[in-house]
Amino acid sequence: MFADLSTEVAGLRLENPLMLASGILDENGYSMLRVLRSGASAAVTKSIGEEERNGYRPPVVHPLQSGMLNAIGLANPGIEEYGHEIEIARRAGKPIIGSIFAPDEAGFSRLAERMQSFGVSAIELNLSCPHVKGVGSEVGSDPVLVKRVVQAVKSVSSVPVFAKLSPNVTDLVEIARAASDADGLVLINTVRAMAVDIRARRPVLSNGFGGLSGPSIKPVGIRCVYEVRKAMDIPIVGVGGISGFEDVVEYIMVGSDAVQIGTALWRNGPGIFSSILCELEKFMEEEGYRGIGEMKGVALQ
């Protein structure tokens, strides 16, 4: 028996459940193309704003035993300079999902319209960057603003719209319900965190604090998907700390339709996609699962 690894998220057909997360190896079209040809079923672009943004001064990344701490500051070339990168990435013949950020619904709407003109297959709303004032978790922690942003983007979008939410909120289910007009949710973004250089006697990142990603946040991501899936029937893409097939299975068993992989590429390179897919297919055959759908949500019983 051969297991069927294909899945569908909000009408988006994927050849397997593994997507490239926003922020890792998606600075340009060629790096996305490389990851897509290495086995990823789709790629999410880095988060793009209306204007060029330099981000924070170095150091902006700090490796940890349990993952990675970063505060890039949403550095990006601006929407008008990024269309060419999407054009290159689309050569793989797989879905490209455009990630966008803005301080309000008007900015999100303008960005969504422009992203669609580049031929993306879906839009991801970054409502949850934990370290940028005005366009990060401040947007994603206000249920009224979340609802307005999602509704505004949906009104101008002809492709699926996904809302990426933060674990750094008091009530994630409340925020998820506010985003329920989206076609799907992406859970989760990085966890707000900090580390100190004890020799220099100061934070390791120039911004002071940043976002923690990698294996240490996987239990948080699993819990968030579980809570939202128990409360709502909406497509979910799970993300946070995935580095092996077991992690993928966990996310699917608590209700994810697909997953995104980011930090693990930093340690293992694009080959991690084919490696995980091989082990995932083997696991499914051994356990008698004929398709991804048969695993989805089994831990919710």
Side-chain angles (χ1 to χ4, degrees):
M1 181 189 75
F2 292 96
D4 181 7
L5 298 183
S6 66
T7 188
E8 183 174 323
V9 190
L12 199 64
R13 293 291 303 170
L14 303 174
E15 63 184 30
N16 67 65
L18 311 186
M19 306 162 68
L20 171 66
S22 180
I24 300 286
L25 288 183
D26 52 12
E27 289 83 1
N28 63 67
Y30 289 107
S31 59
M32 285 189 282
L33 190 61
R34 180 185 174 201
V35 172
L36 290 166
R37 288 174 173 171
S38 296
S41 65
V44 185
T45 72
K46 70 186 291 101
S47 289
I48 304 296
E50 291 193 89
E51 305 293 338
E52 181 181 7
R53 185 183 177 97
N54 292 325
Y56 300 131
R57 60 179 175 80
V60 294
V61 175
H62 181 71
L64 299 167
Q65 233 180 354
S66 56
M68 184 167 67
L69 196 59
N70 87 85
I72 306 297
L74 293 174
N76 77 99
I79 190 68
E80 295 305 326
E81 298 298 321
Y82 200 72
H84 178 62
E85 309 303 338
I86 293 172
E87 181 183 343
I88 293 170
R90 289 181 63 205
R91 295 176 190 172
K94 297 180 181 181
I96 306 299
I97 300 170
S99 175
I100 56 176
F101 72 90
D104 54 36
E105 62 266 38
F108 271 104
S109 295
R110 289 191 296 268
L111 284 161
E113 288 187 288
R114 196 69 179 108
M115 267 292 185
Q116 287 180 90
S117 73
F118 299 145
V120 297
S121 299
I123 301 290
E124 183 176 283
L125 309 177
N126 185 354
L127 303 171
S128 49
C129 179
H131 52 73
V132 177
K133 185 175 178 60
V135 296
S137 53
E138 292 175 343
V139 175
S141 61
D142 182 345
V144 174
L145 185 52
V146 166
K147 189 173 187 65
R148 289 209 313 256
V149 167
V150 171
Q151 288 180 337
V153 173
K154 280 292 295 176
S155 72
V156 300
S157 296
S158 58
V159 297
V161 175
F162 296 94
K164 188 171 186 177
L165 305 184
S166 170
N168 307 305
V169 295
T170 303
D171 188 342
L172 178 59
V173 172
E174 178 189 24
I175 301 299
R177 287 190 170 124
S180 61
D181 289 321
D183 297 288
L185 304 177
V186 180
L187 306 173
I188 55 176
N189 210 325
T190 54
V191 175
R192 189 182 293 114
M194 184 178 184
V196 171
D197 183 332
I198 61 173
R199 303 294 182 188
R201 304 177 188 180
R202 63 189 181 199
V204 298
L205 299 177
S206 67
N207 186 59
F209 65 90
L212 176 65
S213 62
S216 59
I217 75 164
K218 191 193 74 174
V220 179
I222 295 293
R223 185 265 301 172
C224 290
V225 172
Y226 180 87
E227 286 185 350
V228 172
R229 174 58 72 212
K230 291 279 281 187
M232 299 172 61
D233 182 18
I234 187 171
I236 294 176
V237 178
V239 56
I242 295 172
S243 58
F245 82 91
E246 301 97 334
D247 307 321
V248 176
V249 173
E250 279 193 75
Y251 270 104
I252 292 172
M253 285 186 171
V254 294
S256 297
D257 299 272
V259 300
Q260 293 178 4
I261 298 175
T263 302
L265 273 78
W266 168 62
R267 292 188 183 275
N268 303 284
I272 191 171
F273 284 96
S274 58
S275 175
I276 288 179
L277 288 172
C278 181
E279 293 298 318
L280 177 61
E281 185 174 27
K282 181 180 177 182
F283 169 82
M284 291 173 64
E285 291 172 356
E286 290 175 348
E287 295 295 318
Y289 292 111
R290 291 170 295 180
I292 296 296
E294 291 185 2
M295 286 196 298
K296 181 184 165 186
V298 297
L300 299 170
Q301 304 303 318

